[in-house]
Amino acid sequence: MEYTTLGSTGMEVSKICLGCMSFGSGRDWMLDADESRELIERAIDLGINFFDTANVYSAGESEEILGDVLADYDRDRLVVASKVRFPGAEDHRNASGLSRKTIEQELSASLDRLGMDTLDLYQIHRWDPDTPIETTMRALDDAVRRGQVRHVGASSMWAHQFLEARRVSEREGLAPFETMQNLYHLAYREEEREMYPVCRKYDVGTMPWSPLGAGYLARPHEEFRTTTRAGHEIDNAGVPYHEFPASEAINERVQELAAEYDATMAQIALAWHFENENVTAPIVGTSSVEHLEEAVEALDISLSDSDVEYLEEPYEPVPVYGHE
C-alpha cells in the first residue's frame, strides 16, 4: 500500500479510500454484515486505513457494520469519514439538510452507530440551498470544538459555493472545509475547470467518488447497460455515461491499454487516478474482495506520460453532474 497526506489535515491516508455504500441492504448488489466484514478486514490486511461512509447509506446500516468491524482494530491507526445532508435511519422534516439541528442530531446518531467518540472527517454530502452557509459552518465548527469531529469537508458542489464556505470560515475564524469529495474520472473531467484549481490553492484533500464511472470504465461499453448496479447509478446520480460524446472512445482506449499492461480495465482507470495530481485518494466502492485486491494491485501500474495523454485526448466537455 502507498500512503499520502490528506490535504491540510496532515492525516496520512492510504491512496485508496474504501467506499462503504455497498454495506447493508436495500439493493441486490449490497453486502450483508458477514460479507461486509470479510471485505473490510481484507482491506485492512492490504494496508487500507481510510474508510468513507454516510448516514444515508442503507439508512445507517453501513455505519453500524463499519463500526462493528473496526471495533476489533486499533482505532488510532484508522481514518474514518462520514457525511450528512440526507436522512439517515429516520426520515422526518429535520432529518435532512444542513441546519444546526440536523447536523447535531445526525452527527450524534452517526457516532452512536459507528461506536466512536470522534469522527476523523465529517463532510456535507451536498450543498443545502435552504440553510445559510454561516449556520452550517458554525454548527460544524462547534462539533470540532466539542471534540466530536477532527476535520470537516464537502462533496460535489459548484466551485463558487466551496469558495463562499471557505471565506465564511476565514472571516469568522471557523474550521474550514479541508477536503472535497466529487465526481471525477476519465469520462467525466469537468472538475478540472474550476474546482481542482481551487483545491490546489487551499491544499484541499480530494477524494473522487465513482472513480470508475459506476463501472463504465471497468468493462467494454457494450456491456455497461447490462450490469445490475449501472441502472442504480444512472437513476440516482443522473449521470448518463453512455451518452457522453467521447465516452466510447475513452472506454476503448482503456481496453487497449489494459491489454498492453496485462491488466483489467478497472486497474488502468484507477492507475490514471493514482498518477493524477488532482487526486489524493479515490473512493473505491466494491462488493467483491477480488475487485478490491485488483484495485490495490493497480498501485503497481505506472502509466507513461504518453499513456495518460492517449487516455485523455478524446475527452469533450459534458454537462455538470453530481451536484444535486
Side-chain angles (χ1 to χ4, degrees):
M1 180 52 60
E2 297 178 20
Y3 299 88
T4 187
T5 303
L6 185 61
S8 62
T9 71
M11 294 188 294
E12 293 293 311
V13 297
S14 49
K15 290 194 71 172
I16 291 176
C17 176
L18 183 65
C20 302
M21 190 172 71
S22 61
F23 305 160
S25 60
R27 300 278 180 175
D28 53 10
W29 48 265
M30 289 183 168
L31 305 178
D32 63 23
D34 290 339
E35 294 168 327
S36 299
R37 174 175 285 275
E38 180 184 9
L39 189 66
I40 297 166
E41 290 182 340
R42 183 57 179 144
I44 294 173
D45 289 343
L46 291 167
I48 291 173
N49 74 339
F50 194 12
F51 301 86
D52 178 76
T53 185
N55 65 330
V56 72
Y57 295 164
S58 294
E61 286 183 63
S62 172
E63 291 178 323
E64 291 177 348
I65 291 170
L66 181 64
D68 286 344
V69 177
L70 297 189
D72 296 335
Y73 292 84
D74 183 351
R75 176 67 182 79
D76 291 342
R77 296 177 179 269
L78 307 172
V79 177
V80 179
S82 193
K83 299 185 285 294
V84 62
R85 169 64 174 87
F86 304 110
E90 296 185 18
D91 188 358
H92 53 77
R93 290 185 182 277
N94 288 296
S96 62
L98 295 174
S99 68
R100 175 177 290 275
K101 179 177 176 63
T102 299
I103 289 173
E104 292 181 353
Q105 289 175 170
E106 291 301 313
L107 174 57
S108 178
S110 288
L111 289 171
D112 286 345
R113 288 190 290 264
L114 286 162
M116 298 173 180
D117 296 323
T118 306
L119 263 176
D120 297 303
L121 176 63
Y122 199 41
Q123 306 150 103
I124 65 167
H125 213 154
R126 291 295 186 273
W127 188 266
D128 178 8
D130 297 322
T131 303
I133 190 60
E134 291 85 353
T135 298
T136 296
M137 299 311 296
R138 285 191 180 279
L140 292 172
D141 181 74
D142 285 345
V144 173
R145 293 174 187 272
R146 287 193 302 269
Q148 292 178 299
V149 173
R150 292 191 171 94
H151 302 277
V152 296
S155 190
S156 297
M157 61 177 60
W158 298 103
H160 74 84
Q161 293 172 322
F162 189 73
L163 280 169
E164 181 182 355
R166 289 280 312 195
R167 287 172 183 145
V168 166
S169 295
E170 291 172 3
R171 185 183 69 231
E172 304 297 330
L174 307 174
F177 288 144
E178 295 181 89
T179 61
M180 168 50 61
Q181 181 178 147
N182 52 350
L183 179 62
Y184 184 58
H185 53 73
L186 270 168
Y188 182 84
R189 292 167 44 207
E190 296 308 300
E191 301 297 288
E192 293 176 1
R193 302 184 191 284
E194 295 184 353
M195 183 58 78
Y196 280 138
V198 169
C199 290
R200 286 194 296 273
K201 177 178 180 179
Y202 290 101
D203 192 18
V204 171
T206 57
M207 308 147 54
W209 56 269
S210 197
L212 300 180
Y216 183 80
L217 297 170
R219 57 185 59 80
H221 56 79
E222 300 91 345
E223 302 174 11
F224 175 67
R225 293 290 294 184
T226 66
T227 63
T228 300
R229 192 171 172 185
H232 166 71
E233 290 291 348
I234 291 170
D235 290 343
N236 291 275
V239 188
Y241 301 107
H242 58 295
E243 296 178 3
F244 292 169
S247 288
E248 289 190 5
I250 293 169
N251 182 287
E252 289 166 1
R253 293 190 181 199
V254 173
Q255 292 182 57
E256 290 176 33
L257 286 185
E260 289 183 20
Y261 278 86
D262 191 23
T264 66
M265 289 179 63
Q267 287 176 321
I268 295 300
L270 286 174
W272 176 81
H273 278 277
F274 300 143
E275 302 276 351
N276 195 311
E277 66 174 3
N278 294 317
V279 177
T280 303
I283 299 173
V284 176
T286 180
S287 55
S288 162
V289 169
E290 178 186 359
H291 290 166
L292 175 65
E293 292 171 342
E294 287 180 357
V296 174
E297 291 169 1
L299 286 163
D300 294 329
I301 298 174
S302 296
L303 298 175
S304 67
D305 290 344
S306 60
D307 289 335
V308 171
E309 184 178 353
Y310 183 65
L311 289 169
E312 294 181 352
E313 190 272 334
Y315 187 78
E316 296 181 28
V318 299
V320 172
Y321 289 91
H323 290 187
E324 299 298 328

